[in-house]
Every structure is written in C-alpha cells, then in structure tokens.
Amino acid sequence: MTSVFRTLRDDEIEIVMNAPAMVAMLIAGADDDIDKDEIAEAIHYATTAKHRYDKLGEYFEDIANQFEDIFKNYISDLPTDLDTRQHTITSYLRQLNGILPKVEPEVAKQVHQFLIDLAKVVAEASGGVFGIKKISKAEAQWLPLDMIDKPADYEMM
C-alpha cells in the first residue's frame, strides 16, 4: 500500500484511491453523457501523470492497476439520474475533507492538484471544434472541485 497514506485507516485509503475515478465520473457525466473519449483520457492521465507529482509515485502505481476497474464498477453502480448521480459523487468526494488533513501537507496538496488536473483533462477530452479542448458549461461548473477543501486552507480550519 502507498506509504504516504500510512497514517490513514483502510477505509480512508480506499476513498483516496477511488477519488480519481469519482472525479472523472463527476466531470464526464456533468453533461449527462459520459463518452468513450472522456473515459479513455481519464484512464490515460490517471495512469501516466506520476512524473508531475513527486510525492505520489506509489499512489500512481496503485491507481494504474485499479483505475479502469474502479471507474467501470462505480459507473454501473451510480444512479442514472444526473442530479442524483452528481450529488452522490459530490458527497463521496467531500469525505476527502476529513482525510487529506491527516497526511503530510505536500502529499495533500499534490493529491488535490492531481484531482483538479484530472478534472480539467476529462473536461477537455470531448467537445469543441473537432473535439479539441472545449469545456462544456455543465462540466465547467464542477471543475474547481469546490466540494474538496484546498490543502492551503487546512491550517485555517
């Protein structure tokens, strides 16, 4: 298991491990149409982005082995109604607010930044002219991932 999360309980680690797939579903499903390009881009980014986040190498190795399965399992289990699905995912991601402050600050910052970056990559995966980098209005409203507190705010809490 990822050593940067050694201070967490198993159930908390599971939430952190599932968070990238949940973010991908939140953004890809924001327009109520999760397409194959968004799924492919989410999987690609989540399994290749480790060079951008130096504290998260083991985390990315674990994600690379599980991301696609987690994504597919959750997408089939989540509600089909758009508002209900987005609410369910948002509630799930909010759990990170009680988890990330328990890890080293730099690790928390990198996990948070990775989730933000992943959201943007997924949003840019379809739409626009020739399908290039056009973010829909529905996706844009979720991009800041406001349900997850910024690690810089932890000291102020």
Side-chain angles (χ1 to χ4, degrees):
M1 181 39 57
T2 306
S3 63
V4 294
F5 301 127
R6 66 186 170 280
T7 58
L8 302 178
R9 298 184 319 258
D10 288 348
D11 61 315
E12 293 171 326
I13 292 171
E14 182 179 355
I15 292 166
V16 175
M17 296 305 295
N18 292 343
M22 297 301 273
V23 165
M25 285 182 274
L26 179 76
I27 303 302
D31 56 4
D32 210 14
D33 179 31
I34 299 174
D35 69 48
K36 63 182 179 6
D37 292 335
E38 291 168 318
I39 295 168
E41 197 59 36
I43 292 167
H44 176 73
Y45 188 77
T47 57
T48 61
K50 71 179 179 182
H51 66 280
R52 295 184 178 118
Y53 313 93
D54 64 324
K55 298 282 188 188
L56 304 179
E58 290 177 71
Y59 177 59
F60 282 103
E61 289 173 23
D62 290 343
I63 288 174
N65 295 327
Q66 302 173 29
F67 186 90
E68 189 169 2
D69 289 337
I70 291 169
F71 188 93
K72 288 177 180 177
N73 288 338
Y74 272 105
I75 203 66
S76 65
D77 291 343
L78 284 167
T80 55
D81 174 69
L82 174 63
D83 291 336
T84 306
R85 183 178 60 242
Q86 296 300 82
H87 176 75
T88 300
I89 295 170
T90 299
S91 295
Y92 188 90
L93 291 171
R94 256 192 211 106
Q95 295 177 88
L96 291 171
N97 296 331
I99 297 170
L100 291 180
K102 297 179 181 181
V103 300
E104 294 177 30
E106 189 57 33
V107 170
K109 287 176 188 171
Q110 287 190 18
V111 168
H112 185 264
Q113 189 59 53
F114 164 62
L115 295 175
I116 297 280
D117 294 345
L118 176 64
K120 186 172 186 215
V121 165
V122 171
E124 291 176 342
S126 68
V129 179
F130 304 112
I132 300 174
K133 298 196 184 235
K134 175 66 176 162
I135 298 172
S136 75
K137 193 180 238 186
E139 292 168 334
Q141 83 177 48
W142 295 102
L143 279 183
L145 299 180
D146 291 333
M147 75 290 300
I148 305 170
D149 296 335
K150 292 174 183 62
D153 296 338
Y154 294 163
E155 292 95 34
M156 302 171 97
M157 298 173 99

